[in-house]
Amino acid sequence: MADASDADRQAVEPDAGEVLSVSQLNDRIASVVQDTPALNSVRCIGEVTDLHQNSTALYFTLTDGDAELPCLLWANRYREMDADLEDGTEVILEGDIDYWVEGGKIDLKPWEVIVVGYGDQAAAVERLRSELEERGWFEDEQKQQPPAFPERVGVVTSLRGDARYDIQNAIHEQDPTADILVKDATVQGSEAPTSIANGIHHLDRSEDVDAIIVGRGGGSDSNLQAFNTERVAEAIITSNTPIVTAIGHTDDRLIADQVADIATITPTAAGEYIVNSREEFLASEVKPLEQHLEAEYETFQQEHEHEQELAEAVGEAAAPEGVAPVYYKAAIAVLLLLLLLITGLWLGVI
Amino acid sequence: MANDAEIHDRLSRVEEIIGQLDADECDLEEGTQLHEEGQELLAEVREILDEGSGEVVELE
């Protein structure tokens, strides 16, 4: 642009030290995106993930396994297309890269969608799922029941993630006395499967860990791929310690969830599940039993005291009478004297 | 180790004691002893529930 105007040049070369508002900066980014020919009419191949829609548009992420790009397809345009999109569909999209100024987000808005087939990643997950199902890894017989009152809970997650604190807080909310052992793990990316599996093995070998929570916060399907791997599934199925998954997502089709003894949909839910509420248990189990014991003993005691009183009364009634009245004794004495007199007369003594 | 068995065993014994008192199978002195045993067991359950420090250990 040899004869660019001053205004144009200013847009490209801002004053050094100039402080922009977020809106101004986002406007500037939008201009760059809009005015870059390389970002218009692009064609991109990838796999559809995290598809959701409303009456206005379809929102999904296009991924090649290493990188992701948010996409937005207007609903009226989609209805005109001969394309049926779902998670795992491999597509070639043609459209423009757009920058949403208010939200500060970039996305691809396709006007053309060519369905290539079913994505490699999704197909691989389905193959693994079928294989593990054949091995019986999803069977209920394989499931262990976590204890209701664990002394120590193991957690495999990122030490720096929110999930770790959600789990911790939920556990201590229910039972402040439970100990928690947090094993740091990489929960996304190519290192994640090994890291998560090693974390599970490590805690499983700790004899004093009563139950293990494996989890992370929500994320795109690609972010959660580690939980769809054989490495993690194997660590879960071979664990002697009961495993509860706590992966923040709405899709219940993660392989780790299917293999786990218990699957919960958020880290908080896992924390709440893994320990019984101490207060609730006292109120619902211990206190009523205490009251029952006291009531039963009171009844027992009253019955026995009543019986004792009756026995005493019977005893008193059966006991010999006390000293006879004086006149009765006198009568006996007179009778004895008479007997002696008669005897005397009869013997001719008198 | 998890406390499930310890708690469960004690509560089961208390239920047994309640049954014995209800069935009236013993004299007053024995009943009083059973009642005291039940009270002790329930106190132990509370103690078990209070055990532990709630510590958080991080493993890199």
Side-chain angles (χ1 to χ4, degrees):
Chain A
M1 288 177 46
D3 12 311
S5 66
D6 284 351
D8 286 345
R9 206 174 299 113
Q10 201 176 2
V12 178
E13 299 163 20
D15 294 342
E18 182 187 11
V19 178
L20 300 172
S21 69
V22 175
S23 301
Q24 287 170 322
L25 182 55
N26 278 7
D27 279 335
R28 191 172 286 180
I29 295 168
S31 303
V32 172
V33 169
Q34 209 172 336
D35 299 340
T36 303
L39 298 178
N40 293 322
S41 299
V42 293
R43 300 184 88 215
C44 183
I45 186 166
E47 198 172 309
V48 172
T49 60
D50 304 316
L51 180 77
H52 56 284
Q53 67 182 102
N54 57 29
S55 56
T56 314
L58 268 81
Y59 304 89
F60 58 93
T61 302
L62 197 68
T63 179
D64 60 8
D66 296 319
E68 297 179 349
L69 180 66
C71 299
L72 183 153
L73 177 57
W74 298 115
N76 57 351
R77 187 166 281 168
Y78 178 59
R79 278 194 292 271
E80 291 165 8
M81 290 176 177
D82 186 25
D84 192 9
L85 297 185
E86 59 180 40
D87 280 354
T89 309
E90 194 167 17
V91 289
I92 294 171
L93 302 180
E94 190 172 350
D96 292 331
I97 294 295
D98 185 53
Y99 185 74
W100 177 37
V101 174
E102 291 78 8
K105 285 182 181 157
I106 207 157
D107 60 21
L108 171 60
K109 286 195 172 67
W111 60 72
E112 179 84 51
V113 175
I114 300 159
V115 176
V116 176
Y118 200 57
D120 290 348
Q121 203 176 27
V125 169
E126 290 314 309
R127 272 198 304 276
L128 177 62
R129 197 190 308 279
S130 302
E131 201 177 307
L132 299 187
E133 194 164 13
E134 267 178 45
R135 288 185 210 167
W137 286 18
F138 304 156
E139 297 294 324
D140 283 347
E141 291 76 47
Q142 298 279 1
K143 313 280 184 206
Q144 307 177 70
Q145 183 60 39
F149 299 97
E151 276 190 70
R152 176 168 278 199
V153 178
V155 179
V156 179
T157 192
S158 167
L159 281 181
R160 287 156 297 283
D162 288 343
R164 170 251 171 106
Y165 294 102
D166 290 347
I167 292 167
Q168 253 176 239
N169 294 342
I171 289 174
H172 281 159
E173 187 84 22
Q174 300 275 90
D175 182 359
T177 68
D179 294 336
I180 302 170
L181 195 58
V182 190
K183 179 78 178 94
D184 189 29
T186 304
V187 290
Q188 110 184 29
S190 58
E191 305 292 316
T194 302
S195 181
I196 294 165
N198 288 348
I200 293 169
H201 291 317
H202 182 97
L203 292 179
D204 186 36
R205 284 195 297 269
S206 307
E207 281 180 16
D208 54 354
V209 170
D210 300 316
I212 298 170
I213 294 175
V214 183
R216 58 155 290 156
S220 66
D221 288 356
S222 298
N223 291 342
L224 303 178
Q225 271 315 298
F227 297 93
N228 270 331
T229 59
E230 185 169 6
R231 193 82 191 257
V232 171
E234 187 180 24
I236 293 171
I237 199 80
T238 57
S239 171
N240 293 313
T241 313
I243 303 270
V244 176
T245 47
I247 305 148
H249 63 107
T250 51
D251 183 359
D252 59 356
R253 302 269 298 157
L254 286 173
I255 286 172
D257 285 339
Q258 291 179 275
V259 180
D261 298 300
I262 299 288
T264 61
I265 57 167
T266 63
T268 300
E272 287 170 349
Y273 176 87
I274 205 76
V275 287
N276 259 352
S277 164
R278 187 186 165 284
E279 293 309 315
E280 217 171 276
F281 182 75
L282 284 169
S284 66
E285 301 284 336
V286 179
K287 193 75 188 158
L289 206 56
E290 232 162 28
Q291 288 166 341
H292 195 175
L293 175 69
E294 293 309 314
E296 205 61 62
Y297 179 63
E298 201 177 320
T299 308
F300 173 86
Q301 204 178 20
Q302 281 170 356
E303 280 173 7
H304 278 261
E305 282 172 356
H306 182 63
E307 279 169 20
Q308 209 165 22
E309 283 167 14
L310 273 175
E312 280 171 14
V314 168
E316 279 172 21
E321 282 195 20
V323 181
V326 176
Y327 64 85
Y328 182 71
K329 286 182 177 178
I332 290 171
V334 169
L335 280 171
L336 280 170
L337 280 170
L338 279 169
L339 193 66
L340 282 168
L341 191 67
I342 291 163
T343 309
L345 286 170
W346 183 62
L347 291 171
V349 175
I350 298 170
Chain B
M1 282 302 292
N3 293 315
D4 292 35
E6 283 183 292
I7 290 170
H8 179 264
D9 291 352
R10 282 165 174 77
L11 295 184
S12 296
R13 176 60 188 143
V14 173
E15 279 168 2
E16 224 172 76
I17 288 169
I18 289 169
Q20 282 175 278
L21 292 173
D22 183 42
D24 203 8
E25 294 166 341
C26 50
D27 61 26
L28 183 59
E29 193 184 337
E30 279 175 282
T32 304
Q33 280 172 354
L34 285 172
H35 173 240
E36 280 168 11
E37 186 191 345
Q39 284 182 317
E40 275 170 35
L41 289 167
L42 289 166
E44 281 169 20
V45 168
R46 286 178 182 277
E47 276 170 32
I48 291 165
L49 289 170
D50 285 340
E51 273 171 15
S53 57
E55 67 172 346
V56 178
V57 179
E58 293 181 1
L59 299 171
E60 291 290 340

